[in-house]
Amino acid sequence: MRGPGDLLGSVLSTGGNMTVTTTPSGAPADPGGATGPARARLVLASLILVAAVANLNLAVANVALPDIGRAFDAAQTGLDLIAVGYSLGLAASVLYLGALGDRYGRKMMLVLGVSLSVPVCLLAAYSPNAGVLVIARLIGGLSAGMAYPTTLALITALWAGTRRTHAIALWSGIGAAISSLGPVISGWLLEKFWWGSVFLITLPLAAVALVMAIVYVPGHVNETTDPVDNIGGILSVLMIAAIVLAINFAPVPDEGVLILVMAATGAAAVAAFVIRQRRARAPLYDLHIAGRRIFWVAATAGIAVFGTLMGAMFVGQQFLQNVLGYSPLAAGASILPAAVLMVVVAPWSAKLVGVRGSRFTLLTGYLFCLLGFLAMLLLWRENSSYWEVGLGYAFMGIGVGFAGTPASHSLTGSVPVRRAGMASGTADLQRDLGGAVMQSILGAVLTAGYAAAFAKTIAAAPGGQQISTSVQNQLEKSFDGAQAVAQRYPQYAGKITVAAKSAFLAGDQWAYLTGIVAVLLGAAIVFFLFPKKRHEEELLAAYQAEDTAGPGQRRGGPLLSAPQL
């Protein structure tokens, strides 16, 4: 079996002189089963570096959350918003910005996104309060929404055949690994500098990525001339933002009206978006393509896989620092098994897709993600050793390494290249909507479980009735809130810390159980609805034939009757 180096060689061996040719549908021609662009090594390296800027910015906040909580005396919900803000900005904007890139230039969006990330990182690093930091994270997500999905769209437009599969494997595996390395670097910085230093990590990388993108990435490849559905784009931003915020505020006391407004807004925006897409002459999100069986099942599967990874890292970093007492560096380094295994498994995943199909590869990934959550649920305790921690992260890394390639490959393979922005936007939603939703859900479950457990402890404690309402609210709002109370009342510090750890462990158990349910639901969808290898190949061939057919054939010909559940 080939390793990462062999895979890289096979993807990039098109080397210096190949140019991109296209089929009538706009896809790169595929003589002999593989094509790629000129200077393929430098193009792919540039795209991976741009993706790395977004991936690192996505991951750096989690390790710093305890320090940020202490610096701003932030409630758990505030920390949740800081953690999810980047994913929220990215997920909410990615469909609209992907369509703008398809129409006006993917390279332009790439360069704008990387350029905007620089001042936004500076704003995050020097935020005077939690509110400004949340805003900086949201804008940072918007900058990533310009750049990150464009990288996959360009891979779809520039490569074809087996080399596209291998390029996606490298993009997915290396990208996920870089995201996992973010906490390690952040932890090292936190031991030497203030919390804001973690948001400066990507500045040197952004400078290099920007130069390489300008010099090496092709300017215009298979871009559409259709007008952009701006109304649909605005509705897409509104519906995703409202839904994620409603989930995030769900556990906050006395915010029932806000939650209902957010939920109602999200539901109304979803309905309006669907109606708009059915009526628009050039829809932002082609529901006919989105209804293709391979496309929508792969999209759902990816949301579950990438969402559970981000959710596990979000809860896990707080567990390691708050309960086990890890330093930020040690907590970040604990994720290394996941980072390494994502890269190691990526070439195996690409080969497994070719041999057994996307369905089998996705289910293999789900199995390891399930094992990861089970390890966290059963082994992560107050006195857990590192091997127990590392085992959980190792299983998650293997799972995402296997599932990432087929989830992205199935999306790009089931759309015409002129709609690459739609496929890449959906692939990005897998990571960022999945990450935002699962972090919000697991964070909400953790918050609710923590508060309920601490409330029971106070009620059962001798003299618990003497604790003032304000102090009790501070104890129940977050682990860092409890630590702040412990500093004010040092004579009770030991008991408060023990109670806070116990409450956190009660909350995180419910979070891990929620992750297990999400993995099982995703696996069930793939098992029952994703086609096996032979049927998958038949469907992909039917999609390609429909996309290359004339308008009359697409509307009334036999191709439309090909299976598209």
Side-chain angles (χ1 to χ4, degrees), residues 37 94-95 97 100 117 129 219 248 288 312 330 343 369 374 396 459 478 483 500 531:
V94 69
L95 293 180
L97 295 177
L100 290 172
S117 70
N129 55 58
N248 216 54
H288 171 68
V343 177
C369 288
L374 286 173
M396 292 297 296
S478 68
Q483 291 302 100

Side-chain angles (χ1 to χ4, degrees), residues 430-457:
Q430 290 179 330
R431 290 165 169 77
D432 301 299
L433 179 59
V437 169
M438 287 306 298
Q439 283 190 63
S440 295
I441 292 176
L442 267 61
V445 171
L446 172 63
T447 300
Y450 172 89
F454 217 126
K456 288 182 180 179
T457 299

